[in-house]
Amino acid sequence: MNAATATTPRTLRRLLHTRLLVWLALLAVCILAFAGTFTYLGRTADFERQSSLLTATLAHYIEEHVDNAAQSLSRLASALPASPSPALMAEELGRRRATRQYFARVMLLDASRRVVFSLPDGPVMVDFPVLRDRAGQSPGGRGYMLGSPAPLPDTGEVVVYISETLEGGGQLVGALRLNQLQDHVQHLLPGEDGAVLLADAYGNLIAHPDLPRVQRQENIGHLPFFGLAARGDAPRRDDGAVHRIRLDGESWFACTAEVEGPGWTIITLKRQGAVLAEVAREMAIFLLLLAVLLTVFAVSLLAELEWSLARPLTAFCQSIRLVSGGSYDLPPPDGNRLAELAEVDREFRDMAATVRQREAALRRTRAYVQQMMDAMPSAIIALDGHCRAVRMNPAALRRTGHAMTPAGTPLAELLPGYADVAIRLASALARRIPVNRERVVTLHEGHYRYEDVSLYPMNSEMTGDVTGDGATDGGVLRIDDVTERVRMEEVLVQSEKMLSVGGLAAGMAHEINNPLGAILQGAQNIQRRLADGLPANEEAAQRLGCSLPVIRAYLTERRIMEFLESIREAGCRAAHIITNMLEFSRASGDRRTTVDLHPLLDRTVDIAASDYDLKKRYDFRNIAIVRDYAPDLPPVVCSEQEISQVMLNLLRNAAQAIATQGGATREEPRIVLRTRVDGACVRIEVQDNGTGMPEEVRRRVFEPFFTTKEVGVGTGLGLSVSYFIVTRNHGGTFDVASEPGRGTTFIVRLPLPTGECAAPAPPPQFPGCQM
C-alpha cells in the first residue's frame, strides 16, 4: 500500500470545523487587537484628561502662591527708601507678618550685590542663581526675577530666591519657602501608581513625593520636556500631550503643564504597567464575553452547515459511487436542498444519462475498431513502456505463431529475428520518438523477407498497463510485409535505367558507332599504307618515283602523322565513352562501397556529354558545366551505379529544360554542379538556368508517372525512381527548388558514414535492403 492510499482524506465536517475554528480564532484575534488598542488609547486619554485637570489646578495654585509672595516682596521694596538702613529693614519686616510667612529669609543687597542685611541672621549665598523674568520681556510681564531652587546654608531648607530691584541700585531678595508647595503637591498625589513633580525651566526639582531628592537638588533636565531650555532657547513644551518616558528605571506616562508666572513645569506621572494592568483587566472581561458569543455563533453555524451542506453532499457522494460502479438507478432527489445543490444534482443526473449513452456508443465503437484492426493485413502489436506485448491483432498472431496474445512477452522474444531492431525500438519508445517505416530484412524459410516497421508512441490509457508494474507509456508497432513491393521497385529501377540507356545506346549506334568505325578504319589504313616493310607500299612508291622515307618525313614535317594520332586517340576516347555507358546499363546488385563523389560526377558528365537531339536542337556539349566542388569533401558509402543513374537523370532533365527555353534566354546555357558538407550529410546540387517550374508542377515532380513531356517522350518515372534510390535505398533526402523563368535546383543529401543520419550498411547480397 503506497502513501497515497494510506492517507485518510479529511471529511467535509472536519474541514468545516477546522476552517470555522481557524476563522473564528482569526476574528477573535482581530477583535481583541482592535479592542485592546481602543482600550489602551482610552486609558491613555483618561490619564491625559485627569492630568490636565490636576495640573491646571496645581498650576493655578502655584502661580497664585508665587505671585502673592512676589507682591508681598514688591510692597516691601516700594516702602523702603533708596538706601534703607538695617534698622528700618527690621522694623518694616516686623510689621509685615505675611512677608515672613512666605520667605524663610529676607536679605538686602547693595549695588555691588553684597549682603548688608539678613533676617533672620545667618550664612547666606553670595551668588544667587537669578534669572531674568521671561514674562517681563512682553507686555503684561510681572517684573520680578526668579532663581533656581537651592538649600539654605544653615538650615538646609530648599528655597527659591525672588529679587526686587530698589531705586538706589540695590536688590531686595527673599528666600521663598517651598514647603507649602511640597505639602500641596503631596495632598494631590494620585495614588501609589502616580506621582506629581514640580521643576523649574531647567529641570531642577522644586517639589517631589520624595522630599530628600528635592533637598539634594536633583535635576531631571534630561527629560524631553527640558531639551530646548537646557540649550538656552526659549522653552517650548507640548502641554497636555501624553509622553512615554524612562525615569528611575521605570516606564511612565507623563503629562506636563507650564506655570506661566515663574515658568515652572508641572509633570504628572503614571506607571505604564498600571495602565497596561487596567487594560488587561478590561480585556479579560471582554474576552470572556467574546468567547461566549463566538461559541454560540460557531455551534449555530456548524449545525446549519451540517443540515444544509454535509448531509446533502453525503447523499450526492452515494449517487456518484453508484454511477462509478456502473449503476445508473439513482435514488429520487431530496426536495429540502439548497437551490445550488439542487442544480448540481440535476446536472449530475443529466451527466449520468449522457455517460450511459456514451458508454453504449463507446462499446459499439470499440467493437467496430476491433473488427477493423482484426481485418487489417498489417501486424499490429500494442507495447507497454518496457517494449513488451500488450495486445495483438490476428495478423500479428499469425506473424508470431501464437494463438492468443502472450501479454508481458518482450518484443525480442516475440520476434526472434528482430533482436537488433527491438533495441532501437525500445530506445525510441523511451524517448517518445516515432519510427516511420524502418526497413527490416529477415531470413524466412531460405528466402529473405522485407518488412516495414513503424512505431507510434502512445500513453498508457491507449495501450493499457496489463502487466501491473506501473508502466505509464507505451506504443503501437506496425509491421508490413513489403517483399513483393521491394521486388517490384527493383524491377522499376532497372527498367528506368535500361530505358535511359536504351535511348543512349540507340543514339550511340547510329551517331557514333558507324562514323567511329569508319574513322578508326580509315586512320588505321592510312597508318598501314605509310608503314615500312609492306611490299604494296614499297611498290607504289617506286612506281611513282617517290621514296617512302621521304614521304614519311614530309608527313612528319607537316604534322600529318600527329593529326593521324589525334584521330586515333579521339576514336579511342569515344570507344571509352561507349564502354562506360555499357557498364552503366549493365544490371548489378546493390553493392555499396566508399565512393568519392567528385570523380563519380565527372564520369556522369562524360556520359551525359554524348546525349543530344538534333530535332529539338539541344546538345549537351553546348552547355557550360560549372563544377563548384567543396575541397576535402569526405567520401560516402553508396551504390555507385544508382547514384550515377540519379545524377545522369538530373543532368539530362537540366539540359532538356535549357533546350526548351530556346533562344529566349539572355544567359549562356549553364549547369552548376555544387557539393558541400551539410551537417552529418553531403549535399549535391544540380542547378540550371532553364525555364524553371511553376509551383503546382514542383509539388508533383516526384510523383510516379507524372510528366510534362509529350506522349512517348518521357515515362514520368525518372525522378520518382531517383527519389526512391536516394531516400529509401540510401537514407538521404531529395528536394527541389524552382521558380518560373529563373531555373531549377535539385538538392540531394547523402548521409556520411559516421553521422546520425547515416543509413546502416545493408546485409551482403540483399538488393534493395534498407535498415
Side-chain angles (χ1 to χ4, degrees):
M1 180 180 295
N2 53 27
T5 58
T7 303
T8 303
R10 292 183 296 176
T11 62
L12 178 62
R13 295 182 179 85
R14 181 180 176 185
L15 178 63
L16 291 177
H17 293 174
T18 304
R19 291 292 185 268
L20 184 60
L21 290 177
V22 171
W23 285 107
L24 289 179
L26 292 176
L27 179 62
V29 170
C30 294
I31 294 176
L32 289 176
F34 282 113
T37 301
F38 287 131
T39 304
Y40 177 78
L41 295 176
R43 293 294 91 197
T44 306
D46 291 342
F47 168 70
E48 183 177 355
R49 184 171 57 256
Q50 294 173 5
S51 297
S52 298
L53 295 175
L54 178 62
T55 53
T57 303
L58 188 58
H60 178 73
Y61 171 78
I62 294 173
E63 183 176 0
E64 184 179 0
H65 182 77
V66 174
D67 286 347
N68 291 336
Q71 290 177 4
S72 174
L73 188 64
S74 177
R75 286 193 294 270
L76 177 61
S78 60
L80 295 176
S83 299
S85 62
L88 182 59
M89 282 287 301
E91 182 180 355
E92 288 292 333
L93 286 174
R95 290 198 302 268
R96 301 178 183 277
R97 182 178 179 181
T99 302
R100 295 197 305 272
Q101 290 178 351
Y102 283 116
F103 298 101
R105 182 164 291 156
V106 178
M107 295 169 288
L108 179 64
L109 280 68
D110 58 11
S112 60
R113 296 177 61 86
R114 292 180 301 177
V115 178
V116 297
F117 174 77
S118 174
L119 185 70
D121 193 12
V124 296
M125 296 180 64
V126 179
D127 296 325
F128 301 102
V130 179
L131 301 175
R132 291 188 177 275
D133 178 21
R134 295 179 293 104
Q137 298 175 359
S138 59
R142 290 169 173 78
Y144 60 84
M145 292 182 292
L146 190 67
S148 300
L152 291 175
D154 52 350
T155 63
E157 182 181 2
V158 180
V159 297
V160 173
Y161 292 96
I162 299 178
S163 174
E164 288 286 344
T165 304
L166 300 177
E167 294 181 358
Q171 290 183 357
L172 185 63
V173 179
L176 178 65
R177 289 189 175 94
L178 299 180
N179 55 351
Q180 294 182 0
L181 298 179
Q182 180 73 22
D183 293 340
H184 193 73
V185 170
Q186 290 293 336
H187 288 305
L188 296 177
L189 190 65
E192 297 180 357
D193 295 325
V196 178
L197 308 181
L198 179 63
D200 62 6
Y202 296 93
N204 299 310
L205 286 176
I206 296 175
H208 192 279
D210 188 8
L211 184 60
R213 300 185 66 172
V214 179
Q215 294 175 348
R216 291 195 300 269
Q217 295 183 277
E218 288 191 11
N219 185 278
I220 58 174
H222 63 279
L223 298 179
F225 322 121
F226 307 99
L228 295 175
R231 295 196 301 267
D233 301 332
R236 182 172 178 264
R237 303 182 182 91
D238 188 11
D239 291 345
V242 178
H243 302 271
R244 185 178 298 153
I245 63 173
R246 292 285 298 178
L247 184 65
D248 299 333
E250 293 184 82
S251 296
W252 302 78
F253 287 111
C255 282
T256 63
E258 184 177 0
V259 182
E260 295 183 358
W264 293 345
T265 301
I266 301 174
I267 306 171
T268 305
L269 301 176
K270 189 169 185 178
R271 286 185 174 87
Q272 183 178 356
V275 176
L276 297 179
E278 294 176 1
V279 173
R281 286 193 296 271
E282 295 184 9
M283 290 303 298
I285 298 174
F286 179 78
L287 179 60
L288 179 61
L289 295 176
L290 181 63
V292 173
L293 180 62
L294 292 180
T295 301
V296 174
F297 174 74
V299 172
S300 302
L301 183 59
L302 286 175
E304 180 66 22
L305 292 176
E306 175 73 19
W307 180 261
S308 302
L309 291 179
R311 293 181 61 185
L313 288 178
T314 302
F316 185 65
C317 291
Q318 180 65 28
S319 299
I320 293 176
R321 283 193 290 269
L322 290 175
V323 173
S324 63
S327 175
Y328 296 96
D329 297 328
L330 303 180
D334 186 6
N336 298 324
R337 292 184 178 180
L338 296 175
E340 290 80 2
L341 292 178
E343 181 67 21
V344 171
D345 183 71
R346 286 193 298 271
E347 293 294 334
F348 176 74
R349 292 175 183 273
D350 294 341
M351 182 192 68
T354 304
V355 170
R356 173 185 290 180
Q357 297 174 0
R358 290 183 178 178
E359 278 190 356
L362 181 60
R363 285 192 294 269
R364 292 192 298 269
T365 302
R366 181 175 295 175
Y368 175 76
V369 173
Q370 186 64 39
Q371 293 176 4
M372 183 175 60
M373 294 296 294
D374 292 345
M376 289 185 63
S378 301
I380 305 297
I381 303 176
L383 303 174
D384 63 8
H386 300 291
C387 208
R388 294 175 299 191
V390 177
R391 292 183 179 89
M392 299 169 62
N393 69 342
L397 294 175
R398 290 191 299 270
R399 172 67 177 80
T400 58
H402 290 83
M404 58 183 300
T405 302
T409 303
L411 182 62
E413 297 180 9
L414 193 64
L415 298 172
Y418 277 54
D420 296 336
V421 180
I423 298 175
R424 295 197 299 273
L425 292 178
S427 176
L429 192 62
R431 292 183 294 171
R432 312 291 297 164
I433 299 176
V435 177
N436 187 20
R437 301 177 66 86
E438 180 177 348
R439 181 65 54 80
V440 178
V441 180
T442 57
L443 188 61
H444 178 68
E445 296 179 356
H447 299 281
Y448 290 103
R449 179 165 55 189
Y450 300 88
E451 294 176 326
D452 284 347
V453 177
S454 300
L455 178 65
Y456 308 98
M458 304 177 70
N459 55 34
S460 58
E461 296 178 357
M462 302 299 295
T463 59
D465 183 15
V466 299
T467 58
D469 60 354
T472 57
D473 296 320
V476 175
L477 180 65
R478 173 181 172 182
I479 303 175
D480 294 305
D481 191 344
V482 293
T483 304
E484 296 300 326
R485 188 171 65 189
V486 169
R487 304 302 182 192
M488 184 61 68
E489 288 171 352
E490 292 177 1
V491 172
L492 288 176
V493 172
Q494 187 63 25
S495 298
E496 178 64 20
K497 182 190 298 185
M498 296 310 297
L499 181 62
S500 300
V501 175
L504 292 175
M508 178 182 63
H510 292 84
E511 304 295 340
I512 298 178
N513 279 349
N514 293 335
L516 181 60
I519 293 172
L520 290 177
Q521 185 178 3
Q524 183 180 6
N525 288 333
I526 292 173
Q527 289 179 339
R528 286 173 59 85
R529 281 166 173 73
L530 294 175
D532 294 332
L534 293 178
N537 294 345
E538 295 290 342
E539 228 176 85
Q542 291 177 4
R543 189 172 56 249
L544 296 175
C546 298
S547 175
L548 192 58
V550 174
I551 294 174
R552 283 199 304 271
Y554 170 78
L555 295 177
T556 302
E557 180 68 22
R558 299 297 294 168
R559 300 178 59 188
I560 295 176
M561 301 299 293
E562 185 178 345
F563 295 155
L564 290 174
E565 184 64 25
S566 298
I567 294 173
R568 189 189 64 82
E569 291 178 356
C572 293
R573 182 169 177 267
H576 178 69
I577 293 174
I578 294 175
T579 302
N580 288 337
M581 294 172 63
L582 293 177
E583 181 181 356
F584 170 76
S585 63
R586 186 179 301 115
S588 62
D590 187 14
R591 298 189 303 271
R592 297 193 180 187
T593 58
T594 302
V595 178
D596 190 353
L597 290 178
H598 292 167
L600 184 145
L601 294 176
D602 292 338
R603 289 193 300 269
T604 306
V605 171
D606 292 340
I607 296 174
S610 61
D611 188 19
Y612 62 93
D613 192 337
L614 294 179
K615 295 181 180 180
K616 293 189 176 182
R617 295 179 298 175
Y618 105 83
D619 188 349
F620 196 89
R621 294 169 295 182
N622 296 328
I623 301 175
I625 304 298
V626 180
R627 292 173 173 83
D628 184 9
Y629 292 165
D632 300 329
L633 187 72
V636 296
V637 177
C638 66
S639 172
E640 185 173 358
Q641 282 73 24
E642 290 184 348
I643 299 302
S644 180
Q645 176 184 349
V646 172
M647 293 296 108
L648 179 60
N649 197 5
L650 295 180
L651 289 172
R652 292 186 62 186
N653 287 346
Q656 292 174 3
I658 294 175
T660 56
Q661 188 170 245
T665 180
R666 297 180 182 178
E667 299 180 3
E668 177 189 8
R670 184 179 69 254
I671 297 176
V672 179
L673 290 176
R674 184 179 295 109
T675 60
R676 293 290 187 272
V677 176
D678 188 0
C681 299
V682 171
R683 187 175 74 250
I684 307 171
E685 296 181 5
V686 179
Q687 179 182 1
D688 64 70
N689 58 352
T691 57
M693 292 181 290
E695 182 62 22
E696 59 272 12
V697 174
R698 189 196 66 81
R699 287 198 301 266
R700 302 184 58 191
V701 72
F702 294 118
E703 293 182 9
F705 305 106
F706 175 76
T707 180
T708 58
K709 300 176 183 178
E710 299 176 359
V711 178
V713 177
T715 63
L717 292 175
L719 288 177
S720 61
V721 172
S722 299
Y723 184 87
F724 169 80
I725 292 173
V726 172
T727 59
R728 300 298 300 275
N729 287 3
H730 291 81
T733 63
F734 201 173
D735 303 312
V736 59
S738 182
E739 186 175 348
R742 304 191 64 177
T744 303
T745 302
F746 284 91
I747 304 170
V748 176
R749 292 183 178 87
L750 298 176
L752 292 171
T754 58
E756 294 183 358
C757 64
Q765 300 177 0
F766 282 62
C769 174
Q770 176 65 32
M771 292 296 290

